[in-house]
C-alpha cells in the first residue's frame, strides 16, 4: 500500500452517505474520486468522473455505497476495472449471500474484498462511523482506514460474516424503531405522547445486559399473562384506529412461548 498522501479512494455512489465518506477521506489527506450517474451534486474537493473505469482504474480502495438493490450489478461492472491487489469494500446493507457472490467475483480479478457493515447512521459521525469488516480484504481495509481514526472491528471471517452481524443488529434496531413508532403514534392518539416518551426514555436510559436478560427471562416466565396483556393492548389500538403490527408480533411471540 502506498503512503496516505498518495492513497486514492474511489467512492461509488455520492448520495448522503457517499458524500460524507468522500468528504471525510479528503479531510484525512486522501485523493478521492467519485462516481454516480444519478446524483448531480459533488462534494467540494472530490474529483468526479463520468466514467466508472476512470474513477476506479487508479484506486487503492473502492467503496461501494450504491444501495443493496444494485450492489451486485455495480460490483460486476466495476471489479474488472479495479487494479489487481486493490480493495473493493462493499458498504451496502446486503445479504450474506450477495456479499459472498461479490467476493467470488472479486477473486477472479485478484481484487481483495471487504464485507463492511456500517453500525450506526452515517450522518451522525461521517467517516468515523463504527464498522465491522470481514473478507479477504479485511486486514488491508483496516490498514488503509487507520489514518481516519474510524473504530473498526476486523473479525477476520469470510465475506458475508460482517453482513450477517449487520442484519442481526437490524432485527433489533428496526424492530425497536417499529415499536417506538407504534407506541408514540398510539400515545399521540390517546393524548399521552409526552408521558409515553418519558416512559421510553426511563426504560432505555443506561440500559444494559440486565434489561435484556429481564426481557428474555421475564417473557418466558410470564408468557401467558403477557400474551393476554398484548391482546388487550392490540384491541385498544384498534379502538384508537392506530396500527398494531408490532403489538401483534409481540403477542405472537408470547403466545408461542405460552404454548411451549
Amino acid at each position: 500500500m502506498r503512503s496516505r498522501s498518495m492513497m486514492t479512494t474511489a467512492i461509488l455512489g455520492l448520495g448522503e452517505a457517499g458524500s460524507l465518506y468522500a468528504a471525510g477521506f479528503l479531510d484525512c489527506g486522501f485523493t478521492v474520486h467519485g462516481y454516480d450517474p444519478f446524483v448531480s451534486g459533488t462534494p467540494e474537493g472530490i474529483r468526479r468522473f463520468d466514467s466508472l473505469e476512470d474513477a476506479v482504474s487508479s484506486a487503492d480502495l473502492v467503496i461501494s455505497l450504491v444501495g443493496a438493490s444494485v450492489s451486485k450489478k455495480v460490483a460486476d461492472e466495476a471489479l474488472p476495472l479495479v487494479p489487481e491487489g486493490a480493495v473493493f469494500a462493499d458498504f451496502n446493507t446486503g445479504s450474506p449471500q450477495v456479499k459472498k457472490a461479490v467476493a467470488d467475483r472479486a477473486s477472479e480479478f485478484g481484487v481483495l474484498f471487504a464485507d463492511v457493515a456500517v453500525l450506526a447512521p452515517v450522518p451522525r459521525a461521517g467517516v468515523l462511523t463504527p464498522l465491522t469488516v470481514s473478507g479477504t480484504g479485511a486486514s488491508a481495509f483496516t490498514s488503509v482506514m487507520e489514518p481516519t481514526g474510524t473504530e473498526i472491528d476486523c473479525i477476520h471471517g469470510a465475506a458475508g460474516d460482517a453482513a450477517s452481524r449487520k442484519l442481526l443488529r437490524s432485527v433489533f434496531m428496526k424492530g425497536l424503531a417499529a415499536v417506538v413508532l407504534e407506541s408514540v403514534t398510539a400515545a399521540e392518539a390517546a393524548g399521552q405522547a409526552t408521558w409515553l416518551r418519558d416512559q421510553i426514555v426511563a426504560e432505555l436510559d443506561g440500559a444494559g445486559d440486565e434489561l435484556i436478560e429481564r426481557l428474555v427471562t421475564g417473557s418466558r416466565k410470564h408468557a401467558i399473562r403477557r400474551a393476554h396483556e398484548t391482546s388487550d393492548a392490540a384491541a385498544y389500538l384498534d379502538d384508537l384506529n392506530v396500527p398494531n403490527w408490532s403489538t401483534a408480533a409481540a403477542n405472537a411471540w408470547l403466545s408461542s412461548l405460552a404454548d411451549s
Side-chain angles (χ1 to χ4, degrees), residues 219-220 222-225 227 251-260:
S219 294
R220 290 173 175 153
H222 305 291
I224 295 175
R225 175 175 61 80
N251 179 261
W253 261 104
L254 291 164
S255 296
S256 176
L257 290 171
D259 291 341
S260 63

Side-chain angles (χ1 to χ4, degrees), residues 183-193 236-237 240 242:
S183 302
V184 170
T185 301
E188 289 171 346
Q192 298 294 336
Y236 177 52
L237 265 60
L240 293 172
V242 170

Side-chain angles (χ1 to χ4, degrees), residues 1 40-41 84 104 108 120 137 179 197 219 241 253 258:
M1 286 295 177
S40 58
E84 184 175 352
D104 289 342
E108 296 177 13
V179 169
R197 283 175 177 268
S219 294
N241 197 29
W253 261 104

Side-chain angles (χ1 to χ4, degrees), residues 88-236:
F88 186 91
D90 189 334
F91 276 53
N92 304 292
T93 303
S95 70
Q97 291 74 20
V98 169
K99 297 284 182 131
K100 291 174 184 176
V102 176
D104 289 342
R105 180 72 167 157
S107 69
E108 296 177 13
F109 299 99
V111 175
L112 299 174
F113 179 76
D115 169 13
V116 182
V118 182
L119 300 183
V122 176
R124 186 186 302 169
V127 75
L128 293 176
T129 304
L131 306 172
T132 293
V133 61
S134 64
T136 58
S139 294
F141 173 80
T142 302
S143 178
V144 172
M145 291 289 291
E146 186 175 351
T148 68
T150 306
E151 178 185 339
I152 300 176
D153 181 12
C154 183
I155 60 177
H156 299 292
D161 288 355
S164 65
R165 292 192 182 190
K166 173 62 182 287
L167 293 179
L168 289 171
R169 186 177 186 276
S170 295
V171 173
F172 167 66
M173 290 301 297
K174 274 52 180 184
L176 177 61
V179 169
V180 171
L181 282 167
E182 187 164 298
S183 302
V184 170
T185 301
E188 289 171 346
Q192 298 294 336
T194 299
W195 177 83
L196 193 279
R197 283 175 177 268
D198 290 343
Q199 290 291 305
I200 294 173
V201 170
E203 288 294 336
L204 298 182
D205 186 31
D209 189 65
E210 181 181 347
L211 173 61
I212 298 172
E213 187 59 33
R214 175 160 58 87
L215 292 174
V216 172
T217 303
S219 294
R220 290 173 175 153
K221 183 177 181 179
H222 305 291
I224 295 175
R225 175 175 61 80
R226 292 182 181 181
H228 187 275
E229 181 179 337
T230 52
S231 179
D232 287 344
Y236 177 52

